[in-house]
């Protein structure tokens, strides 16, 4: 399993399709996942520090899990079949529960748990977003701007791709 960092959510134009981008913590590959607008909103709101006055569904799920005396220790993207990603929640007692990656990651951002992807999934669906020329050869002193630069490269990448580029069959 490869640990990933949640880069963010962007809406692909002109189809208005939200895409969640994960990037390897210790590597160059990224994993774009087409997700629903409700999950995209839930992830983006939390990442932007927006806290609704009442719990949303993913907040509720985290609260219920905690109230039952359990905790989710990690989110995993475990398979990619026919253009669809499959995920799971891994609990502190070893139990796993199947979940859509978008829902699992919306929970992960709320309870601050790591996200992992199976190597085979990353090998099949992962991409490497080229660095811009001015970033090549830079040292770690520019680490503060790295996240913003990565998001900008992600935006430029999204402007140049279509859902067909992600493989799998398109659903009618």
């Amino acid at each position: 399993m490869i640990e990933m960092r949640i880069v963010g959510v962007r809406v692909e134009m002109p189809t208005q399709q939200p895409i969640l981008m994960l990037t390897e913590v210790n590597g160059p590959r990224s994993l774009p996942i087409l997700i629903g607008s409700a999950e995209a909103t839930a992830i983006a709101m939390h990442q932007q520090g927006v806290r609704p006055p009442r719990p949303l569904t993913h907040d509720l799920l985290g609260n219920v899990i905690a109230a039952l005396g359990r905790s989710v220790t990690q989110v995993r993207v475990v398979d990619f079949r026919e253009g669809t990603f499959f995920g799971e929640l891994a609990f502190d007692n070893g139990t796993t529960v199947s979940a859509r990656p978008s829902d699992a990651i919306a929970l992960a951002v709320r309870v601050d748990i790591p996200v992992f992807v199976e190597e085979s999934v990353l090998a099949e669906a992962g991409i490497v977003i080229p660095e811009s020329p001015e970033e090549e050869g830079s040292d770690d002193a520019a680490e503060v701007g790295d996240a913003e630069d990565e998001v900008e490269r992600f935006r430029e990448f999204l402007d140049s791709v279509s859902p067909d580029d992600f493989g799998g069959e398109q659903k009618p």
Side-chain angles (χ1 to χ4, degrees), residues 13-27:
M13 301 302 271
T15 64
Q16 300 295 314
Q17 176 68 54
I19 300 175
L20 168 68
M21 182 63 81
L22 304 176
T23 300
E24 280 183 289
V25 169
N26 295 309

Side-chain angles (χ1 to χ4, degrees), residues 10 17 41 52 83 85 93 110 118 123 133 167 171:
R10 173 142 161 107
Q17 176 68 54
T41 300
F85 290 95
N93 65 354
R110 284 163 170 72
E118 283 285 349
K171 310 257 190 290

Side-chain angles (χ1 to χ4, degrees), residues 76-150:
R76 302 173 183 156
V77 179
V78 296
D79 201 2
F80 181 67
R81 295 188 308 257
E82 299 176 12
T84 301
F85 290 95
F86 294 82
E88 65 185 19
L89 302 175
F91 286 83
D92 56 347
N93 65 354
T95 301
T96 58
V97 174
S98 179
R100 294 185 309 175
S102 56
D103 286 324
I105 291 169
L107 176 63
V109 297
R110 284 163 170 72
V111 295
D112 195 30
I113 55 174
V115 175
F116 291 88
V117 174
E118 283 285 349
E119 171 60 42
S120 61
V121 172
L122 205 49
E124 182 177 350
I127 59 170
V128 175
I129 299 174
E131 291 189 25
S132 60
E134 64 272 7
E135 290 175 23
E136 291 178 11
S138 65
D139 61 9
D140 291 327
E143 197 169 307
V144 173
D146 286 350
E148 291 85 6
D149 293 341
E150 188 171 353

Side-chain angles (χ1 to χ4, degrees), residues 29-90:
R29 296 176 292 182
S30 295
L31 186 67
I33 301 176
L34 300 175
I35 63 174
S37 59
E39 294 80 18
T41 300
I43 293 166
M45 278 179 53
H46 195 81
Q47 284 190 315
Q48 293 169 3
V50 176
R51 303 297 184 264
R54 298 185 44 148
L56 299 177
T57 303
H58 300 97
D59 300 306
L60 175 63
L61 177 60
N63 293 341
V64 168
I65 291 168
L68 294 173
R70 298 268 53 108
S71 64
V72 178
T73 58
Q74 59 184 234
V75 164
R76 302 173 183 156
V77 179
V78 296
D79 201 2
F80 181 67
R81 295 188 308 257
E82 299 176 12
T84 301
F85 290 95
F86 294 82
E88 65 185 19
L89 302 175

